[in-house]
Amino acid sequence: MKKATSFLTFLGLVVAAGIVWITYPTLLESEFKTFRALSPEDFKVIRASAITFAQENAAKGIVINPGHELSQAFELRCKSVPLMLVENGYDLLTLHVFGHADQRAPGIAHLESQMVTTFVPEGKPAKSGPVHVVPSGFETFVLKHRDGIDVAQQCW
């Protein structure tokens, strides 16, 4: 009887740990900015500058997911960790600079400032401004091992 109780207690703890692992909320915050949408031709120029940036910094671990040739979105990553997502929608262009991207890949701040000077601000995002929250130790662990996002990666 004691063995059965101990086994069921152990099994309950394993199930509880599994539920926590699966449902634990993680968040990689981003600085969110909105701008007037660009024409496809203008966005192609911005996308090309991001591709050039990624090619110049490939040795540091910067990669780009440019989408197909006519894509209206692209994403820059530092060794699989998101740095920047730019989406040119019908009404707005959105720019997400993910938490502490400038610390993980210092050149990203320069690219962002180059792009932003050509954009016209539009709309009011729900949450804007620099990200100040650093993921906790456990959240960093879950981001890395469950979500595949190692926030400790550096691209210098």
Side-chain angles (χ1 to χ4, degrees), residues 8-31:
L8 289 176
T9 302
F10 175 74
L11 186 62
L13 290 172
V14 169
V15 169
I19 290 171
V20 168
W21 181 255
I22 292 170
T23 62
Y24 188 82
T26 57
L27 179 66
L28 186 58
E29 290 195 30
S30 67
E31 181 181 358

Side-chain angles (χ1 to χ4, degrees), residues 38-50:
L38 299 177
S39 68
E41 296 80 23
D42 290 340
F43 189 76
K44 190 182 277 190
V45 172
I46 296 297
R47 189 170 153 270
S49 69

Side-chain angles (χ1 to χ4, degrees), residues 81-146:
V81 181
L83 293 172
M84 177 187 292
L85 172 65
V86 181
E87 296 177 287
N88 190 33
Y90 179 74
D91 295 329
L92 292 173
L93 179 140
T94 59
L95 173 67
H96 300 267
V97 179
F98 291 93
H100 308 288
D102 57 336
Q103 294 171 7
R104 289 184 279 123
I108 204 76
H110 180 68
L111 177 66
E112 177 192 3
S113 66
Q114 283 180 322
M115 286 195 283
V116 169
T117 59
T118 63
F119 299 160
V120 177
E122 181 95 2
K124 299 270 185 200
K127 182 179 180 183
S128 184
V131 176
H132 299 291
V133 178
V134 177
S136 68
F138 183 68
E139 188 173 20
T140 300
F141 180 82
V142 173
L143 278 166
K144 180 178 180 180
H145 296 287
R146 183 191 70 192

